[in-house]
Amino acid sequence: MRTPALTSRLGAEALGTFWLVFGGCGSAIFSAKYLAPNVVTGQAVQLGIGFLGVALAFGLTVLTMAYAVGHVSGAHFNPAVTIGVAVAKRFPWRDVPAYLVAQVVGGLVAGLALWGIARGVSGFDATGNLAANGYGDHSPGGYTLVAVLCAEAILTAFFLYVILGATDDRAPTGFAPIAIGLALTLIHLISIPISNTSVNPARSTAVAFFNGNGAPAQLWAFWVAPIIGAAIAGATYHLVTGVDRRDEDITGVVDPEDLKPTT
């Protein structure tokens, strides 16, 4: 087995992050609330997917792309995850900057696509309506900055604990994407009312500037808190669990015969 070239891994990370943002944020923008007229009563009927549907959408994006390209890049799709697994000594620090750039670029392209599609209906106002994260007045439930920072740090830490455990070679083979996807679903079920759920700086960056309405000014919180949470988990996983796999990278591995020859 061989680790694919860095360019291939970066392409996989950009693709996966695009899908996470497009599928997760797209479900919140287009499908969370959808009112259809009821021809019998004359009143609108809510056919949207709500918080539960959005939570599932985010989980499914990670689950599907982890199976699709996890063997190529390790399926991080999240700067906090990349930094966390590097702190855990299961990913080389030399590749961290490139992974972060690929994830942010993939997310921003998805944000641009969502913004373009959302403008395709008459009367749509992108300001404040592109699933941005926020605190205070920009939190769905009005939660304070301190509350949001705590929630984001704790939830990202547990997300990384799940990732580090599910990718252990003693865990059931082939089921890691399911555990990771369901963990992200649970995280969203907890925290959509708190912060609109980030736990992923690339996801937050992807829509902040298209959303406006204070989101760009609050973006720092959704870099700082997830990275701190992931770093804590990465530094403590082996201490808490007694499982020390710090010499085994979370990177993609493929059969050399499946790699496209370079010219």
Side-chain angles (χ1 to χ4, degrees), residues 103-116:
Q103 292 156 357
V104 171
V105 169
L108 284 170
V109 173
L112 176 62
L114 290 171
W115 175 78

Side-chain angles (χ1 to χ4, degrees), residues 78 80 152-153 156-157 198-201 220-231:
N78 182 337
E152 288 287 329
T156 309
S198 173
V199 302
N200 184 339
W220 67 270
F222 301 100
W223 276 86
V224 171
I227 288 174
I228 289 175

Side-chain angles (χ1 to χ4, degrees), residues 237-251:
Y237 178 80
H238 70 287
L239 298 174
V240 173
T241 64
V243 177
D244 193 345
R245 298 181 67 238
R246 288 178 291 171
D247 59 341
E248 300 181 36
D249 290 352
I250 295 182
T251 52

Side-chain angles (χ1 to χ4, degrees), residues 136-214:
D137 291 340
H138 302 292
S139 157
Y143 287 83
T144 65
L145 171 60
V146 173
V148 167
L149 291 175
C150 289
E152 288 287 329
I154 291 169
L155 292 169
T156 309
F158 274 88
F159 189 42
L160 198 73
Y161 283 137
V162 171
I163 291 170
L164 292 172
T167 53
D168 191 306
D169 55 14
R170 288 167 292 186
T173 303
F175 290 95
I178 297 175
I180 294 167
L182 288 175
L184 190 59
T185 298
L186 175 59
I187 285 167
H188 279 78
L189 289 174
I190 296 168
S191 61
I192 288 176
I194 300 173
S195 63
N196 228 13
T197 310
S198 173
V199 302
N200 184 339
R203 170 261 188 269
S204 299
T205 304
V207 295
F209 298 99
F210 299 104
N211 181 88
N213 194 36

Side-chain angles (χ1 to χ4, degrees), residues 64-150:
T64 52
M65 288 309 294
Y67 276 121
V69 299
H71 57 286
V72 178
S73 68
H76 300 186
F77 315 145
N78 182 337
V81 169
T82 299
I83 291 171
V85 295
V87 171
K89 298 183 178 179
R90 291 180 58 186
F91 187 76
W93 279 104
R94 67 178 180 275
D95 291 344
V96 168
Y99 263 56
L100 266 59
V101 170
Q103 292 156 357
V104 171
V105 169
L108 284 170
V109 173
L112 176 62
L114 290 171
W115 175 78
I117 294 169
R119 294 175 70 246
V121 63
S122 177
F124 178 81
D125 183 5
T127 303
N129 293 306
L130 284 181
N133 302 114
Y135 56 83
D137 291 340
H138 302 292
S139 157
Y143 287 83
T144 65
L145 171 60
V146 173
V148 167
L149 291 175
C150 289

